[in-house]
Amino acid sequence: MTFYNALEKHLIDFHVVTHKKGETIYRADEAPRSLYIIKDGLVGLFHISENGKETFLRVFGKTQILGHRSLLAYENYHANAVCLQDTEFYQISASEFNQLLEKDNSLLRSITESLAKDLRVSELRISDLNDKSSYLRVVESIVYLKNKYPDQVWTRQEIAEFAVCTNETVTRTLTKLEKMNLIQKQGRDFSLNNTEGLLNLTNEDF
Amino acid sequence: MTFYNALEKHLIDFHVVTHKKGETIYRADEAPRSLYIIKDGLVGLFHISENGKETFLRVFGKTQILGHRSLLAYENYHANAVCLQDTEFYQISASEFNQLLEKDNSLLRSITESLAKDLRVSELRISDLNDKSSYLRVVESIVYLKNKYPDQVWTRQEIAEFAVCTNETVTRTLTKLEKMNLIQKQGRDFSLNNTEGLLNLTNEDF
DNA sequence: CGATAGATTGAGAGTTTTCAACCGATGTGG
DNA sequence: CCACATCGGTTGAAAACTCTCAATCTATCG
C-alpha cells in the first residue's frame, strides 16, 4: 500500500490548486499549514544555505505528496518547494489531514514507510559524497532524474545542485559522457543511450 | 510524546541483551528481525561504501531506539550498528513490535515524528557538505558529539567519519581550535571551552 | 615496560571550484 | 517569421581545498 493509494479515495473532497513553473509553494522556516498532493506536474525541494549555496534535496512528480515531513515532525519547513513545471495539486489543510489520519489507520503507516525510505536515500547520499567523485555523482544524478522524468529538460544547475557540485562540473561530465557514447545531447536537453553502461562507471573512469 | 515515553511502559516484557564495545548488533543488507531500545550504552550507525569508506550516520544513546527505520520501510538494514561502549538493550521481535503498534496508537505517531526529524537532519547534512569547509564540519561534529555524549572519548577517525573527511583533517582542526582556546586537549580526549564561540566560526576562520 | 593503536605533522598530489571569456539555444516582440 | 536579447552552456587556466602517504610521536593497556 503506497501513500497515494491510501489517500486517493479521499482526494475528491479537496480543492485543486495550480501554480506556474518557477513559483514557490512553500519556503523554509514557514510553519506548515497544508499537505500537497501532486495531480500533475513536477516540484523540487531545495535548501539554500547561509552562503547562498542551493542543494536539490528531493523531486516530486504525479501522485507524490509534499509537506508531510514538517507536519509529522511538528517542525517548520526546512527547505523551499518550487514548481519545475506548471503544477496542479490537491491541497489538504493540517486539520483535514489529522482527521484523515484518524479515519484511516493505514494512512499513517504508509506515510511512515515513505519517510523511512527517504531517510535511507538521504543517508546514502551522504555516504556517496564521502566516496564518489563529482563526475560519478553527476552520472548517478542524471540516471535518476532523467530516467524518472524523461520529458523534463533538467538544467546543468539543477543537476549540479542534486549531485552537490557546480554547473561547470556537470557540463564537463556530460561532454565526457557524450564522447563515450553513453548520452546524446540535443540542444540543452540530452538523453541516455545506455543506462547500464552509465551505472557501471566508477571513479577510475574519469 | 517521545518515542521512548510511548514504549517505556511495555519494556518490562522484553529481554535485556548486552553487547561489548566494538560488537556489531546488525549489519547492512540483513533483514531486520528486531527492534532495539538502549537501556544503557552507546551505539553508532555506520555505512561502508563499495570502496571501503566509512560514514558515521547516526549515534544512539540511552532510551534511543534502533532498527526501526528498516522495519517500517520494509527494507533490509542499510548500515551497520556497532557498540561504541558496552551496551545493554531491550530486544523486541518484529512480531512483538507489530503487536505493540496495534495495541498503542500513539506509538507509531511518535516513531514517525522521530523519522521525520531524522530526515531533516540528514538532508541538512547534505547541504552542509555543499556549503561548509571540512574544518567547519569538524567543528560542528565535535560540538554535537561531545556536548551530547561528554564522557565518550571520540577518536579522530570517528569524528572524521561523522564530519565526512579524514582523520588528518580532524587532527589539524583540533590543533587550530586549541590554539584559538576554543577546546582543550587531554590525552586523546578533549573538552569544549566555548560552545558559543565554536558555533560562531565560519569558513573564513580557517 | 614494551607493544600497539591512535595522533600528529609535513610535503606533495589530486580533485573540484572559481573566475572569466565566449558560445549557442530559446523564445519574444516587432 | 526574423532579429535580437537573454539565459543557459562551454571551455580553459588558475587557485583553493582536501586527501594521501609516510614518518614520527604519544597515549593507553596488558
Side-chain angles (χ1 to χ4, degrees):
Chain A
M1 176 71 103
T2 69
F3 202 151
Y4 186 74
N5 294 147
L7 262 175
E8 196 171 18
K9 54 182 168 293
H10 307 296
L11 290 182
I12 189 83
D13 301 335
F14 299 102
H15 285 296
V16 173
V17 180
T18 65
H19 274 300
K20 290 266 173 224
K21 178 173 176 171
E23 289 180 353
T24 297
I25 299 176
Y26 60 72
R27 286 174 208 282
D29 301 326
E30 290 175 1
R33 284 184 300 272
S34 299
L35 196 70
Y36 307 87
I37 295 100
I38 299 180
K39 189 169 178 230
D40 200 21
L42 198 63
V43 176
L45 183 69
F46 296 88
H47 181 263
I48 302 180
S49 71
E50 264 184 45
N51 298 331
K53 291 233 183 173
E54 206 152 340
T55 306
F56 188 172
L57 296 175
R58 276 180 267 159
V59 56
F60 304 94
K62 207 181 282 196
T63 79
Q64 290 198 275
I65 288 92
L66 56 151
H68 56 300
R69 194 210 63 79
S70 298
L71 279 172
L72 292 166
Y74 304 114
E75 291 179 337
N76 291 345
Y77 296 121
H78 71 309
N80 306 319
V82 181
C83 295
L84 302 171
Q85 300 173 356
D86 293 357
T87 300
E88 283 188 299
F89 44 80
Y90 302 99
Q91 183 164 356
I92 303 183
S93 74
S95 63
E96 288 168 332
F97 177 51
N98 286 325
Q99 284 167 29
L100 280 182
L101 288 180
E102 297 209 355
K103 215 192 293 185
D104 184 344
N105 276 324
S106 71
L107 181 58
L108 181 60
R109 184 65 187 79
S110 58
I111 297 176
T112 302
E113 177 182 349
S114 167
L115 283 171
K117 287 179 170 156
D118 286 343
L119 181 57
R120 169 182 50 77
V121 169
S122 178
E123 291 188 330
L124 294 183
R125 279 173 83 177
I126 296 173
S127 172
D128 281 354
L129 285 161
N130 202 358
D131 181 58
K132 292 177 175 161
S133 72
S134 59
Y135 288 120
L136 203 50
R137 296 198 308 273
V138 170
V139 170
E140 300 194 346
S141 297
I142 64 171
V143 168
Y144 174 79
L145 292 171
K146 200 67 193 173
N147 273 345
K148 202 156 181 188
Y149 305 101
D151 297 335
Q152 178 71 2
V153 181
W154 299 101
T155 66
R156 310 299 188 251
Q157 187 62 35
E158 285 161 350
I159 296 166
E161 288 168 4
F162 198 85
V164 186
C165 65
T166 59
N167 52 18
E168 291 93 336
T169 296
V170 173
T171 288
R172 290 185 236 271
T173 308
L174 295 184
T175 299
K176 287 191 185 201
L177 294 177
E178 187 168 45
K179 284 197 185 118
M180 295 173 176
N181 257 310
L182 291 166
I183 68 166
Q184 196 67 48
K185 292 194 204 170
Q186 291 142 352
R188 287 174 180 168
D189 198 8
F190 59 89
S191 57
L192 312 185
N193 292 341
N194 179 358
T195 299
E196 268 302 297
L198 287 164
L199 290 177
N200 284 331
L201 292 171
T202 70
N203 284 342
E204 285 69 42
D205 291 313
F206 295 98
Chain B
M1 176 70 103
T2 68
F3 201 148
Y4 186 73
N5 294 148
L7 262 175
E8 196 171 18
K9 53 183 167 294
H10 307 295
L11 290 181
I12 189 84
D13 302 334
F14 299 103
H15 285 295
V16 173
V17 180
T18 67
H19 275 299
K20 291 267 175 224
K21 178 174 175 171
E23 290 180 352
T24 297
I25 299 175
Y26 60 73
R27 287 175 207 281
D29 301 327
E30 290 176 1
R33 285 184 299 273
S34 298
L35 197 68
Y36 308 87
I37 294 100
I38 299 180
K39 189 169 179 231
D40 201 21
L42 198 62
V43 176
L45 183 69
F46 296 88
H47 181 262
I48 303 181
S49 70
E50 263 184 47
N51 298 329
K53 291 234 179 171
E54 206 153 340
T55 306
F56 188 171
L57 295 175
R58 276 179 269 160
V59 55
F60 304 93
K62 205 181 285 195
T63 79
Q64 291 198 274
I65 288 92
L66 56 150
H68 55 300
R69 194 209 63 78
S70 298
L71 279 173
L72 292 166
Y74 305 114
E75 293 181 335
N76 291 346
Y77 296 121
H78 71 310
N80 307 319
V82 181
C83 294
L84 302 171
Q85 300 175 357
D86 293 357
T87 300
E88 284 188 297
F89 44 78
Y90 302 100
Q91 185 163 356
I92 304 182
S93 73
S95 62
E96 288 167 333
F97 177 51
N98 286 324
Q99 284 166 31
L100 280 181
L101 287 180
E102 297 209 352
K103 216 192 293 183
D104 185 343
N105 277 322
S106 71
L107 182 58
L108 180 60
R109 184 66 186 78
S110 57
I111 298 175
T112 302
E113 177 182 350
S114 167
L115 283 172
K117 286 180 170 153
D118 286 343
L119 180 56
R120 169 182 49 78
V121 169
S122 178
E123 290 188 329
L124 293 184
R125 279 173 83 178
I126 296 173
S127 172
D128 281 354
L129 286 161
N130 201 359
D131 182 57
K132 292 177 175 160
S133 72
S134 58
Y135 288 121
L136 203 52
R137 296 198 308 272
V138 170
V139 170
E140 301 195 346
S141 297
I142 65 172
V143 168
Y144 174 80
L145 292 171
K146 200 67 192 174
N147 274 346
K148 200 156 184 189
Y149 305 101
D151 297 335
Q152 178 72 1
V153 180
W154 299 100
T155 66
R156 310 298 188 251
Q157 187 63 35
E158 285 161 349
I159 296 166
E161 289 168 3
F162 198 85
V164 186
C165 64
T166 59
N167 53 17
E168 291 94 336
T169 295
V170 173
T171 289
R172 289 185 237 269
T173 306
L174 295 183
T175 300
K176 288 192 184 200
L177 293 176
E178 187 168 46
K179 284 198 183 119
M180 295 174 178
N181 258 310
L182 291 166
I183 69 166
Q184 196 70 47
K185 291 193 204 172
Q186 291 143 353
R188 287 177 181 168
D189 198 8
F190 60 89
S191 57
L192 311 186
N193 292 340
N194 179 0
T195 299
E196 268 302 296
L198 287 165
L199 290 179
N200 285 331
L201 293 171
T202 69
N203 284 343
E204 284 69 43
D205 292 314
F206 294 98

